[in-house]
Amino acid sequence: MGQVVLGVSTVHAPFITGAPKMAPDDRRQRVYDGFSQLREHVRRAEPDLIVAFSNEHITNFTPGHVSAHCVSLALENPALPEFNLPKAGVPGDPEFARGLVSYAYANDFDLAYAAELELDHGTGLPLSFLTPDYDVPVVVILQNVIFSPMASVARSFRLGELVTRYVTERADNRRVALLGTGGVSHWVGNSRHGDINSEFDEWFLRQIASGDYGPLVRLTQPEIDEAGDGANEIRNWLAVAGGAQALTPSVVLEETFVPGWNTSAYQVVWQ
């Protein structure tokens, strides 16, 4: 019997590594300190494997080929050297990944899969802080958060639940950490770039921290749209929340707005 031993969700804003000096020194340091705390949580949890719920930015998915949830079956996925990130090979676990897809099919949950996925900053940035030696295998599940129509946040929550059931029933004493990456409210690539919806952020973070996920699972797409097109990344947070229901969440970082980076920065750990 395997066990989910940790959950982590964190911002993956590209300027964190791509333009660090654009942020005020104190704000930048608090974000880096948050990553240091998360890295320590990962170290102490001693996971054999990380399942990363993440998204990409038109790196693998295109308007002509979109998957709601796509699992990499690769022995190694390339992390792209963008925004000052290192060029790296992120180890995978094909046996675990293939077993997860089969388990999902047997439980009426369709998962797409790929032989390999390129990992842009959406996944590569958090991993560069949390596992800088790339010494923990990572099974990557990319979720579509760009192209409409999208799967509901409730489905992402159920995906997290499914992963944890698979770990518990089939993962042979594995210690598994769940990672969710992405921002809360933000707008990307349009006239509202740099805006945030602080009211939505505060409400979202309080619901996560309290473990009261019901209102989050019931969010509709129009409600999410009020927090920006980038807010669709909360699907990654909801997947971790679904999978970490036996663990206790706590807020590690709450930076409502980081000038220069023009984004909020939030981090949560479940332990």
Side-chain angles (χ1 to χ4, degrees):
M1 178 182 293
Q3 182 182 9
V4 170
V5 295
L6 184 73
V8 170
S9 281
T10 177
V11 65
H12 64 219
F15 284 175
I16 291 172
T17 56
K21 293 185 178 179
M22 289 180 64
D25 292 347
D26 58 339
R27 302 289 185 89
R28 179 177 65 249
Q29 191 57 51
R30 284 200 288 269
V31 174
Y32 288 169
D33 288 346
F35 275 114
S36 293
Q37 290 184 56
L38 296 183
R39 183 168 60 250
E40 181 63 14
H41 283 299
V42 172
R43 187 191 68 80
R44 289 181 179 177
E46 298 182 326
D48 304 307
L49 174 72
I50 295 171
V51 176
F53 303 99
S54 189
N55 62 278
E56 45 91 272
H57 306 82
I58 318 182
T59 303
N60 301 275
F61 301 164
T62 68
H65 190 123
V66 181
S67 302
H69 321 281
C70 186
V71 181
S72 174
L73 306 182
L75 184 62
E76 182 178 273
N77 292 292
L80 302 181
E82 57 179 9
F83 301 108
N84 294 322
L85 292 168
K87 183 178 181 180
V90 177
D93 188 327
E95 181 180 1
F96 181 98
R98 288 182 179 276
L100 173 61
V101 173
S102 296
Y103 183 84
Y105 290 165
N107 286 273
D108 299 321
F109 196 110
D110 289 341
L111 284 178
Y113 56 89
E116 178 186 275
L117 292 170
E118 289 189 307
L119 308 180
D120 65 15
H121 68 276
T123 311
L125 189 151
L127 290 178
S128 73
F129 284 99
L130 301 183
T131 58
D133 295 327
Y134 302 98
D135 53 353
V136 180
V138 180
V139 170
V140 178
I141 306 178
L142 294 184
Q143 303 197 84
N144 169 44
V145 303
I146 295 178
F147 301 109
S148 295
M150 301 175 198
S152 68
V153 291
R155 183 173 172 84
S156 293
F157 190 85
R158 291 195 297 272
L159 172 61
E161 292 179 317
L162 177 93
V163 168
T164 292
R165 290 201 305 273
Y166 172 67
V167 169
T168 301
E169 296 175 17
R170 305 287 177 84
D172 296 333
N173 299 317
R174 296 281 193 94
R175 295 174 60 83
V176 177
L178 306 179
L179 168 64
T181 88
V184 185
S185 75
H186 62 296
W187 281 258
V188 181
N190 54 46
S191 61
R192 294 200 62 181
H193 181 77
D195 288 352
I196 62 168
N197 182 333
S198 57
E199 183 177 350
F200 181 91
D201 287 356
E202 182 177 351
W203 172 78
F204 180 85
L205 208 61
R206 293 288 81 77
Q207 295 298 136
I208 287 285
S210 71
D212 183 9
Y213 305 133
L216 300 178
V217 172
R218 292 190 292 271
L219 279 168
T220 65
Q221 190 57 51
E223 290 172 328
I224 297 170
D225 291 341
E226 290 295 315
D229 53 341
N232 288 303
E233 293 172 352
I234 64 172
R235 286 166 170 80
N236 301 324
W237 291 63
L238 265 294
V240 175
Q245 292 178 70
L247 305 177
T248 301
S250 59
V251 176
V252 170
L253 177 71
E254 186 173 358
E255 286 293 318
T256 303
F257 185 74
V258 181
W261 290 349
N262 295 329
T263 186
S264 53
Y266 303 114
Q267 295 173 333
V268 171
V269 64
W270 287 256
Q271 57 186 334

